[in-house]
Amino acid sequence: MRQHKLALCKQHFLEWVCDQTERNINKYKLFTKEDSVLVAVSGGKDSLALWDVLNKLGYKTTGLYINLGITGEDNYSNKSQLLTEKFALKNELTLHIVNIKSEYGKNIPEFSETNKRGKTKPCSVCGLVKRHIMNEIASKLDYAVLVTGHNLDDEAAVLFNNVISWQVDFLRRQAPFIPAKKGLLPKAKPFCRFYERETAAYVILANIEYIEEECPFSIGSTTIQNKQLLNELEHERAGSKLAFYLKFLKAKNELFPDLKENKYVDKLVVCQTCGQPTPKPGDCTFCRMINRSDLK
Ligand code: Q46
Ligand code: ZN
């Protein structure tokens, strides 16, 4: 690992990932061994590696898998659900499964087709649906925190995108831990300092079966382009991706001296249909999408 000036054998690498995860959890005060933790699992390497590590470290975890109904050549959603179920069974862990087609009548591609103003990008619909379901399940079942497998490459790509378009509100909100407020469950990213190569190495060395194919909708996305650019930079200057992200976290207090106020969260009200937080009175965006007459 050029970025850390470190080389480890298999056994020590697996231990290193567990130790570093524990360190991140403590450093960013994400959660404790007493908290019930809901892990959002997609069947991909990051979320399965995270669930495995948290389980090994003795945290109280339950998985949440959302079947998005994405097919493509490899039947992406069904395959990833099978692998997630297999992992849960092997490790005797509880897994909640939500199938959006059975629950809400349409899958992600269908939701993205049926919009009054024309087609919406599948990833926008998908993000909205996932955020809604994750927050709903976590609050209903009383989990203390929702954790996701976002790694350093994901965080650096989002940061890069928000910087080049100066999305100040998004920059303000980007952090390894987002505290609870007004019906929004706390969210934590214990893997935010791991390179994608490190989580990939972890699943291979720990013998975890995961979905290797990417979601067909991710091909050519801005996030993937940003990741490629950052990988080129990383290739020239090892450690630059980590420095970009960590120095941003450090600079945040200076950039946003009023960081404790969160204008977005302060404005939230309760959705009249589902009871989840929404920025405007009435129905939230999710309920509007589900109830829109052209979807029936
Ligand atoms: S699953 Fe959903 Fe991603 Fe596929 S449709 Fe886009 S957002 S690319 S993490
Ligand atoms: Zn709602």
Side-chain angles (χ1 to χ4, degrees):
M1 295 180 282
R2 284 198 309 151
Q3 62 278 13
H4 306 304
K5 297 188 177 68
L6 187 65
L8 298 170
C9 67
K10 173 179 166 174
Q11 188 201 331
H12 286 121
F13 177 78
L14 293 173
E15 286 170 14
W16 177 81
V17 172
C18 288
D19 291 348
Q20 293 298 311
T21 305
E22 185 95 282
R23 224 182 111 200
N24 293 343
I25 292 171
N26 296 333
K27 181 175 173 62
Y28 299 116
K29 300 186 175 57
L30 302 183
F31 42 84
T32 68
K33 295 253 160 78
E34 278 68 52
D35 290 328
S36 54
V37 175
L38 186 64
V39 188
V41 267
S42 66
K45 59 181 181 343
D46 302 300
S47 55
L48 286 180
L50 174 62
W51 201 8
D52 190 63
V53 170
L54 294 181
N55 186 37
K56 280 183 183 148
L57 288 170
Y59 287 95
K60 288 195 274 183
T61 61
T62 302
L64 168 63
Y65 175 84
I66 303 173
N67 188 312
L68 304 162
I70 295 171
T71 48
E73 272 176 36
D74 306 293
N75 212 343
Y76 178 76
S77 287
N78 289 346
K79 191 172 171 187
S80 55
Q81 180 175 331
L82 271 178
L83 291 166
T84 309
E85 286 176 307
K86 206 170 162 183
F87 176 87
L89 199 70
K90 189 175 166 192
N91 293 284
E92 300 177 7
L93 290 161
T94 309
L95 174 67
H96 302 296
I97 298 175
V98 179
N99 185 307
I100 64 156
K101 175 97 178 173
S102 344
E103 205 69 28
Y104 303 105
K106 286 183 192 283
N107 56 35
I108 293 297
E110 288 165 344
F111 272 131
S112 89
E113 288 292 339
T114 45
N115 184 299
K116 269 186 190 155
R117 276 172 262 134
K119 201 172 165 177
T120 313
K121 284 185 182 160
C123 293
S124 315
V125 178
C126 185
L128 171 71
V129 169
K130 284 195 287 196
R131 278 194 301 277
H132 179 92
I133 296 174
M134 289 192 283
N135 197 58
E136 188 177 44
I137 300 274
S139 345
K140 265 193 192 156
L141 302 178
D142 228 10
Y143 286 98
V145 61
L146 174 73
V147 307
T148 57
H150 291 98
N151 60 38
L152 175 69
D153 292 47
D154 299 321
E155 291 301 294
V158 168
L159 175 59
F160 182 70
N161 201 43
N162 290 340
V163 167
I164 56 172
S165 53
W166 290 116
Q167 298 273 6
V168 179
D169 264 356
F170 290 155
L171 286 169
R172 182 192 295 272
R173 273 183 267 159
Q174 187 172 2
F177 182 72
I178 301 167
K181 218 170 183 186
K182 287 206 172 172
L184 287 172
L185 258 277
K187 287 195 197 119
K189 299 170 188 168
F191 270 10
C192 64
R193 293 169 74 127
F194 285 122
Y195 281 71
E196 198 170 294
R197 292 187 69 223
E198 293 162 1
T199 59
Y202 182 87
V203 281
I204 293 166
L205 297 174
N207 269 329
I208 297 170
E209 251 189 289
Y210 66 98
I211 184 147
E212 289 176 38
E213 296 82 10
E214 297 289 343
C215 168
F217 294 116
S218 69
I219 297 161
S221 69
T222 316
T223 310
I224 295 213
Q225 288 167 4
N226 288 345
K227 282 184 178 178
Q228 280 164 354
L229 283 171
L230 291 165
N231 280 342
E232 282 173 36
L233 182 66
E234 180 73 26
H235 183 73
E236 294 302 321
R237 274 188 276 147
S240 50
K241 228 184 300 191
L242 188 60
F244 177 50
Y245 179 62
L246 294 185
K247 287 184 181 173
F248 160 71
L249 293 183
K250 223 172 166 187
K252 259 182 87 179
N253 290 330
E254 267 183 61
L255 289 171
F256 308 109
D258 59 344
L259 200 57
K260 292 233 163 77
E261 293 167 33
N262 188 330
K263 287 175 198 148
Y264 168 78
V265 169
D266 290 343
K267 270 192 267 167
L268 292 178
V269 290
V270 168
C271 163
Q272 62 182 12
T273 304
C274 69
Q276 286 214 48
T278 174
K280 287 185 196 150
D283 273 352
C284 68
T285 323
F286 179 82
C287 289
R288 285 207 306 277
M289 183 181 79
I290 300 294
N291 297 326
R292 212 176 280 140
S293 57
D294 59 346
L295 294 178
K296 285 177 180 165

